[in-house]
Amino acid sequence: PYTFSYHHWPFLAALGAYEVVGRRRVPVLALIAGGLLWYASYRISLAHGADPLLHFYLGWALPMTALLAMLTVRELRAAR
């Protein structure tokens, strides 16, 4: 997670585009993810080091992945 400065931009751009174009709403999840990435990189990593950073990162990234998977499955089922 120390390299989120540029590795996460494609994720944030794709998520934001999906929310704006596909769901026709304000990119709430992209803004939340961007804020959490900023907080992790500038508040946690600089003050506490690698282990707390990894725990914080996994603590929000894994639930967000599960949420996105759930939303995708729900949309696919609704489209049938």
Side-chain angles (χ1 to χ4, degrees):
Y2 273 121
T3 58
F4 12 72
S5 59
Y6 60 93
H7 285 140
H8 287 89
W9 283 113
F11 160 70
L12 292 173
L15 181 58
Y18 163 74
E19 287 186 285
V20 170
V21 176
R23 301 201 39 107
R24 299 180 190 269
R25 67 175 190 193
V26 175
V28 175
L29 293 176
L31 292 171
I32 291 170
L36 289 169
L37 284 167
W38 174 86
Y39 182 78
S41 63
Y42 290 102
R43 296 291 182 206
I44 295 177
S45 70
L46 296 176
H48 303 290
D51 286 342
L53 173 65
L54 177 62
H55 295 150
F56 178 80
Y57 182 81
L58 291 176
W60 73 265
L62 293 177
M64 184 171 281
T65 301
L67 173 66
L68 292 172
M70 182 189 72
L71 292 173
T72 301
V73 168
R74 187 169 65 179
E75 285 183 19
L76 290 174
R77 288 183 180 162
R80 290 186 196 177

